Amino acid sequence: LCDKCKTKLITRDDDKLETVKRRLKVYKKDTKPLIKFYKKKNLLVEINANKPVDEITKQIVYVFKTN
């Protein structure tokens, strides 16, 4: 049960340990090298997603307007 609202939690295939492990493996192999590649070319913009949604949205809009 959910700790906050006490509703029944649903487990999806995406929540299984093997699925997470496979996705992390793909990330390390295919995605992580792209981050380094685009950083080198000065084409990567990093946005802190630990901020309120409206701040994140403003940053994204700013990036698209200035590039």
Side-chain angles (χ1 to χ4, degrees), residues 30-60:
D30 298 334
T31 306
K32 196 171 182 183
L34 288 174
I35 293 170
K36 189 174 182 179
F37 173 82
Y38 285 111
K39 270 187 180 181
K40 275 180 147 179
K41 293 190 172 287
N42 239 5
L43 294 172
L44 181 73
V45 176
E46 296 184 69
I47 294 175
N48 182 350
N50 289 323
K51 295 186 177 195
V53 173
D54 60 325
E55 287 184 41
I56 297 168
T57 302
K58 286 178 186 176
Q59 288 181 336
I60 293 170

